[in-house]
Amino acid sequence: METPLLLFPQLNISASKDKSYYKAMKSVIKEEPHKASKPGAKQKRNRLSLLLQKPEFHESDHLGKPGNVAKPASVSPEEAVKWGESFDKLLSEKAGLDAFTKFLKTEFSEENIEFWIACEDYKKSKTAHELLPKAKTIFETFIQKDAPKEVNLDFHTKEATSQNIHQPLITTFDTAQNTVYRLMEQDSYPRFLRSDPYLNLVKGRNPSRPTLRRRSRSFTVNDFQGVRPDFTVW
């Protein structure tokens, strides 16, 4: 039995949640009918996102509820600043991972981080018996053509990954995961660091409570009594 590679031990998930997550993924894939009138990719993504929001699939684990990002008040400016040190540092912190996931949702590219998380979970499999169903689910959800949450992979990476699906190893998705990781690190991560939500955290602000401009004086009806309009300005 091979010992799985644990890149980020902070991201833990229970075995029961694993099964529920992959069971949910498989059920969504089975619902993709081979009909003449095939649902559009956007509709597929919406269906999967709605299913993943069900509380039975997410509790306190690293997957989290979509949009259920750690409250800004629980993240200190010092901690937020550390997220800017490296992409690894950001993903190793649960609050950082949640904040980055929420940011990707605003860019409609959350499939990248969800694929990365699924691969991290896949590498935590303790037996070879667990690998095949998980590998098939990941492949059908994120990699195969017209998958509900298809990630952007080059042809050779996609082909090499598909050839190993029927006899998966713990390293089956390593190349694909690294490709998506670099894409997020070079593209999405810099934009996240420039985003208002992140900058607000660094400055110690709560983005959920926008800053209101203070009015110098409140006018009342009495202020306008006896005032005649001057039409000469028109």
Short mmCIF file of all heavy atoms in Angstrom, two decimals, residues 3 34 39-40 53 67 69 71 73 76 96 107-108 127 130 141 163 174 182 188 195 204 207 219 222 229-230:
data_model
loop_
_atom_site.label_atom_id
_atom_site.label_comp_id
_atom_site.label_asym_id
_atom_site.label_seq_id
_atom_site.Cartn_x
_atom_site.Cartn_y
_atom_site.Cartn_z
N THR A 3 1.86 5.18 0.38
CA THR A 3 1.47 6.27 1.28
C THR A 3 1.14 7.50 0.46
O THR A 3 1.96 7.96 -0.32
CB THR A 3 2.61 6.62 2.24
OG1 THR A 3 2.94 5.46 2.96
CG2 THR A 3 2.16 7.73 3.19
N HIS A 34 -28.29 11.42 -22.78
CA HIS A 34 -27.88 11.51 -24.17
C HIS A 34 -29.12 11.77 -25.00
O HIS A 34 -29.63 10.90 -25.71
CB HIS A 34 -27.18 10.21 -24.60
CG HIS A 34 -25.95 9.92 -23.80
ND1 HIS A 34 -24.76 10.61 -23.98
CD2 HIS A 34 -25.74 9.05 -22.78
CE1 HIS A 34 -23.86 10.15 -23.14
NE2 HIS A 34 -24.43 9.21 -22.40
N PRO A 39 -28.66 19.72 -22.67
CA PRO A 39 -28.58 20.96 -21.90
C PRO A 39 -27.27 21.68 -22.18
O PRO A 39 -26.25 21.06 -22.44
CB PRO A 39 -28.66 20.48 -20.43
CG PRO A 39 -29.20 19.10 -20.50
CD PRO A 39 -28.78 18.55 -21.82
N GLY A 40 -27.31 22.98 -22.11
CA GLY A 40 -26.11 23.77 -22.32
C GLY A 40 -25.14 23.64 -21.17
O GLY A 40 -25.49 23.18 -20.08
N GLN A 53 -24.34 22.87 -3.00
CA GLN A 53 -24.68 23.78 -1.91
C GLN A 53 -25.48 23.10 -0.80
O GLN A 53 -25.68 23.67 0.25
CB GLN A 53 -25.49 24.96 -2.46
CG GLN A 53 -24.66 25.89 -3.33
CD GLN A 53 -25.47 27.05 -3.84
OE1 GLN A 53 -26.33 27.57 -3.13
NE2 GLN A 53 -25.23 27.45 -5.07
N GLY A 67 -19.77 30.34 -1.25
CA GLY A 67 -20.10 31.67 -0.74
C GLY A 67 -20.00 31.78 0.77
O GLY A 67 -20.11 32.85 1.34
N VAL A 69 -17.76 32.05 2.98
CA VAL A 69 -16.39 32.41 3.28
C VAL A 69 -16.28 32.85 4.72
O VAL A 69 -17.21 33.41 5.29
CB VAL A 69 -15.92 33.54 2.34
CG1 VAL A 69 -14.50 33.95 2.66
CG2 VAL A 69 -16.04 33.08 0.90
N LYS A 71 -15.79 34.83 7.91
CA LYS A 71 -16.14 36.22 8.13
C LYS A 71 -14.88 37.07 8.15
O LYS A 71 -13.90 36.72 8.80
CB LYS A 71 -16.90 36.38 9.45
CG LYS A 71 -18.26 35.70 9.45
CD LYS A 71 -18.96 35.92 10.77
CE LYS A 71 -20.33 35.26 10.78
NZ LYS A 71 -21.03 35.44 12.05
N ALA A 73 -14.10 39.52 9.79
CA ALA A 73 -13.70 39.90 11.13
C ALA A 73 -12.80 38.85 11.77
O ALA A 73 -12.04 39.13 12.67
CB ALA A 73 -14.93 40.13 12.00
N SER A 76 -7.31 38.47 10.52
CA SER A 76 -6.57 39.67 10.88
C SER A 76 -5.83 40.20 9.66
O SER A 76 -5.50 39.46 8.74
CB SER A 76 -5.56 39.36 11.99
OG SER A 76 -4.55 38.49 11.51
N GLY A 96 -8.03 31.46 3.80
CA GLY A 96 -7.48 31.91 2.53
C GLY A 96 -8.08 31.13 1.37
O GLY A 96 -8.43 31.70 0.33
N GLU A 107 -15.59 35.35 -10.81
CA GLU A 107 -15.02 35.30 -12.15
C GLU A 107 -15.53 34.09 -12.94
O GLU A 107 -15.08 33.85 -14.06
CB GLU A 107 -13.50 35.24 -12.08
CG GLU A 107 -12.87 36.45 -11.45
CD GLU A 107 -11.40 36.58 -11.80
OE1 GLU A 107 -10.72 35.54 -11.97
OE2 GLU A 107 -10.93 37.72 -11.92
N PHE A 108 -16.45 33.35 -12.35
CA PHE A 108 -17.02 32.16 -12.99
C PHE A 108 -15.95 31.15 -13.39
O PHE A 108 -16.02 30.52 -14.45
CB PHE A 108 -17.86 32.56 -14.22
CG PHE A 108 -18.95 33.54 -13.90
CD1 PHE A 108 -18.77 34.90 -14.14
CD2 PHE A 108 -20.15 33.11 -13.34
CE1 PHE A 108 -19.78 35.81 -13.84
CE2 PHE A 108 -21.15 34.02 -13.03
CZ PHE A 108 -20.97 35.36 -13.28
N THR A 127 -6.80 3.26 0.24
CA THR A 127 -6.75 1.95 -0.41
C THR A 127 -6.93 2.11 -1.91
O THR A 127 -7.51 3.09 -2.39
CB THR A 127 -7.86 1.03 0.13
OG1 THR A 127 -9.14 1.57 -0.23
CG2 THR A 127 -7.77 0.89 1.65
N GLU A 130 -10.48 2.58 -3.30
CA GLU A 130 -11.10 3.92 -3.32
C GLU A 130 -10.74 4.71 -4.56
O GLU A 130 -11.48 5.63 -4.96
CB GLU A 130 -10.65 4.72 -2.09
CG GLU A 130 -11.09 4.15 -0.75
CD GLU A 130 -10.58 5.00 0.40
OE1 GLU A 130 -10.71 6.24 0.30
OE2 GLU A 130 -10.04 4.46 1.37
N THR A 141 -16.29 14.67 -14.26
CA THR A 141 -16.76 15.98 -13.78
C THR A 141 -15.92 17.14 -14.30
O THR A 141 -16.46 18.21 -14.63
CB THR A 141 -16.77 16.02 -12.24
OG1 THR A 141 -17.57 14.95 -11.74
CG2 THR A 141 -17.35 17.35 -11.74
N GLN A 163 -5.95 7.98 -20.27
CA GLN A 163 -5.43 6.63 -20.47
C GLN A 163 -5.21 5.90 -19.16
O GLN A 163 -5.09 4.67 -19.15
CB GLN A 163 -4.12 6.70 -21.27
CG GLN A 163 -4.30 7.16 -22.71
CD GLN A 163 -2.99 7.34 -23.44
OE1 GLN A 163 -1.91 7.05 -22.88
NE2 GLN A 163 -3.05 7.83 -24.67
N ASP A 174 -1.78 14.10 -11.15
CA ASP A 174 -0.74 15.05 -10.75
C ASP A 174 -0.44 16.08 -11.85
O ASP A 174 -0.34 17.29 -11.57
CB ASP A 174 0.54 14.30 -10.38
CG ASP A 174 0.49 13.72 -8.98
OD1 ASP A 174 -0.57 13.87 -8.32
OD2 ASP A 174 1.48 13.11 -8.55
N ARG A 182 -0.84 25.98 -11.73
CA ARG A 182 -0.04 27.06 -12.33
C ARG A 182 -0.93 28.11 -12.98
O ARG A 182 -0.62 29.31 -12.94
CB ARG A 182 0.94 26.47 -13.35
CG ARG A 182 2.08 25.69 -12.74
CD ARG A 182 3.18 25.47 -13.76
NE ARG A 182 2.68 24.74 -14.94
CZ ARG A 182 2.67 23.42 -15.05
NH1 ARG A 182 3.11 22.67 -14.05
NH2 ARG A 182 2.21 22.85 -16.15
N SER A 188 -5.20 33.90 -11.86
CA SER A 188 -6.23 34.29 -10.90
C SER A 188 -5.65 34.87 -9.60
O SER A 188 -6.21 35.82 -9.04
CB SER A 188 -7.12 33.09 -10.56
OG SER A 188 -7.71 32.56 -11.72
N SER A 195 -7.84 42.55 -5.73
CA SER A 195 -9.29 42.69 -5.59
C SER A 195 -9.65 43.48 -4.33
O SER A 195 -8.91 43.49 -3.34
CB SER A 195 -9.97 41.32 -5.54
OG SER A 195 -9.62 40.61 -4.36
N GLY A 204 -7.95 45.84 7.21
CA GLY A 204 -8.75 45.65 8.41
C GLY A 204 -10.18 46.10 8.28
O GLY A 204 -10.85 46.35 9.28
N PRO A 207 -15.68 44.13 4.35
CA PRO A 207 -16.31 44.43 3.06
C PRO A 207 -17.82 44.24 3.05
O PRO A 207 -18.50 44.72 2.17
CB PRO A 207 -15.64 43.42 2.11
CG PRO A 207 -15.17 42.33 3.00
CD PRO A 207 -14.80 42.98 4.29
N PHE A 219 -31.46 68.10 5.66
CA PHE A 219 -32.46 69.12 5.39
C PHE A 219 -33.84 68.65 5.80
O PHE A 219 -34.14 67.46 5.80
CB PHE A 219 -32.47 69.45 3.88
CG PHE A 219 -31.22 70.15 3.43
CD1 PHE A 219 -30.19 69.44 2.83
CD2 PHE A 219 -31.08 71.51 3.63
CE1 PHE A 219 -29.05 70.08 2.42
CE2 PHE A 219 -29.93 72.17 3.21
CZ PHE A 219 -28.92 71.46 2.61
N ASN A 222 -38.96 72.43 6.61
CA ASN A 222 -38.94 73.81 7.06
C ASN A 222 -37.85 74.64 6.38
O ASN A 222 -37.96 75.86 6.25
CB ASN A 222 -38.76 73.88 8.58
CG ASN A 222 -39.96 73.32 9.32
OD1 ASN A 222 -41.08 73.39 8.82
ND2 ASN A 222 -39.73 72.80 10.52
N PRO A 229 -38.73 79.41 -6.26
CA PRO A 229 -37.82 78.87 -7.27
C PRO A 229 -37.32 79.95 -8.21
O PRO A 229 -38.07 80.86 -8.57
CB PRO A 229 -38.68 77.84 -8.01
CG PRO A 229 -40.09 78.30 -7.79
CD PRO A 229 -40.10 78.93 -6.43
N ASP A 230 -36.09 79.87 -8.60
CA ASP A 230 -35.48 80.83 -9.52
C ASP A 230 -35.33 80.15 -10.87
O ASP A 230 -34.44 79.32 -11.08
CB ASP A 230 -34.10 81.26 -8.99
CG ASP A 230 -33.50 82.35 -9.87
OD1 ASP A 230 -34.15 82.77 -10.85
OD2 ASP A 230 -32.37 82.77 -9.55
#
